[in-house]
Amino acid sequence: MELQAIAQKLRDAEIAKKPIAPLTETEAQLTAEDAYRIQLHQIQQKVSEGAVVMGLKIGLTSKAMQEMLNVHTPDYGFVLDTMVFQEQSAINAERFIQPKVEFEIAFVFKEALKGPGVTVEDVIRATDYVVPSIEIIDSRIEDWRIKFEDTVADNGSSAGALLGSKRTSLADIDIANIRMTVFKNEEVIDSATSSAVLGNPLNAVVWLANEVGRYDIAIEPGMFVLSGALSKALPFANGDRFQADFGEVGDVRISFQPAEVKK
């Protein structure tokens, strides 16, 4: 099995916006370790071409998602500067293949974190502040027919990130009990609390720091971590607008370009 060739297939699918068959169907021997190596091949190639790693995302933090993919662990992916969007800018949904949005609390770091052995106390000490955030996920795998190895190889199905502007110190909040309400086109469509993320988003960041440490990767000062979705991912199209209100942590908004009027 040539991992670099598989990485190129995913890259080609992303560029052409043409998804491929699940890797778990075409590469029967694919392991989780292989999948992370495939992910890293893609990131290293993009960095060699000028992209900059801005942060990391944690996925599969909810029991429902883990049960759906028959796994008992989260996964992660990288967020590059080419994937970071601003609240003020309308995004063209057509740049993606089959995208969805998720709503999360992002941690921004003032000190480096590197596993093994990272604890909750280490994460609290290293965190500069938290902000509300939105992740755009997308799959380069046909019809989201993913298993764990598929989404890992596909950079955790990551496609974009948007950070809210309000910065909050961990000392000022109970991070495990943040209430979130989600609006789509001004209508309430979902709500959740931050305890949905492994009981406490801090636990997710601890897991991440120790997991990436296995590949000699650190969470560096200035980087952010999307700590995991509080609720289910929602599909979108051009013309849609979303707002996630995280109470004392603030709110974050994302909008997609107005839908074209059919003549």
Side-chain angles (χ1 to χ4, degrees):
M1 188 188 314
E2 178 48 61
L3 302 185
Q4 208 148 1
I6 299 171
Q8 190 60 50
K9 281 177 62 177
L10 285 164
R11 184 90 191 275
D12 292 344
E14 179 183 14
I15 293 168
K17 298 193 196 60
K18 292 183 178 179
I20 59 175
L23 301 177
T24 47
E25 293 179 8
T26 59
E27 307 289 344
Q29 305 305 312
L30 189 71
T31 66
E33 181 75 16
D34 293 333
Y36 277 116
R37 293 291 179 192
I38 291 167
Q39 178 189 119
L40 207 49
H41 276 308
Q42 294 177 78
I43 299 304
Q44 288 169 340
Q45 182 180 353
K46 290 178 179 181
V47 168
S48 74
E49 295 168 357
V52 178
V53 175
M54 300 292 288
L56 290 151
K57 59 77 54 96
I58 308 171
L60 305 181
T61 52
S62 71
K63 286 185 177 178
M65 285 300 296
Q66 290 184 10
E67 288 170 2
M68 187 179 89
L69 296 187
N70 194 29
V71 296
H72 307 287
T73 180
D75 73 343
Y76 66 82
F78 292 82
V79 182
L80 304 175
D81 60 335
T82 52
M83 301 161 60
V84 176
F85 300 97
Q86 306 301 320
E87 278 191 288
Q88 298 78 14
S89 302
I91 302 163
N92 188 353
E94 293 178 3
R95 65 182 292 161
F96 310 106
I97 302 172
Q98 43 195 349
K100 303 178 184 183
V101 285
E102 294 182 332
F103 308 95
E104 320 187 12
I105 295 171
F107 290 66
V108 180
F109 293 88
K110 59 185 177 183
E111 296 177 17
L113 278 175
K114 188 174 182 182
V118 171
T119 66
V120 166
E121 290 72 25
D122 294 330
V123 173
I124 292 171
R125 185 174 59 251
T127 299
D128 194 2
Y129 54 85
V130 297
V131 294
S133 68
I134 296 172
E135 182 183 4
I136 300 173
I137 60 172
D138 197 7
S139 184
R140 277 58 70 169
I141 304 296
E142 290 174 348
D143 303 321
W144 282 97
R145 298 198 331 268
I146 55 172
K147 293 183 179 178
F148 184 74
E149 294 80 6
D150 294 299
T151 187
V152 167
D154 193 22
N155 195 30
S157 303
S158 188
L162 187 155
L163 304 186
S165 58
K166 183 179 180 184
R167 301 177 177 186
T168 303
S169 168
L170 284 176
D172 295 336
I173 55 173
D174 179 1
I175 192 66
N177 287 292
I178 301 300
R179 184 76 178 169
M180 177 192 75
T181 305
V182 177
F183 302 81
K184 179 180 181 181
N185 302 328
E186 281 73 54
E187 290 188 17
V188 175
I189 56 167
D190 207 354
S191 62
T193 58
S194 55
S195 60
V197 180
L198 297 184
N200 185 329
L202 285 167
N203 296 331
V205 182
V206 169
W207 172 86
L208 175 70
N210 288 318
E211 191 67 17
V212 298
R214 297 174 53 222
Y215 297 90
D216 199 32
I217 296 167
I219 300 170
E220 303 287 356
M223 286 176 61
F224 62 80
V225 167
L226 307 178
S227 61
L230 275 64
S231 59
K232 64 181 180 291
L234 301 170
F236 64 83
N238 276 339
D240 286 333
R241 301 177 308 282
F242 294 88
Q243 176 190 4
D245 184 344
F246 289 81
E248 58 197 317
V249 175
D251 73 335
V252 60
R253 300 164 187 260
I254 194 168
S255 61
F256 298 94
Q257 291 182 359
E260 287 187 15
V261 177
K262 303 285 185 184
K263 292 184 178 179

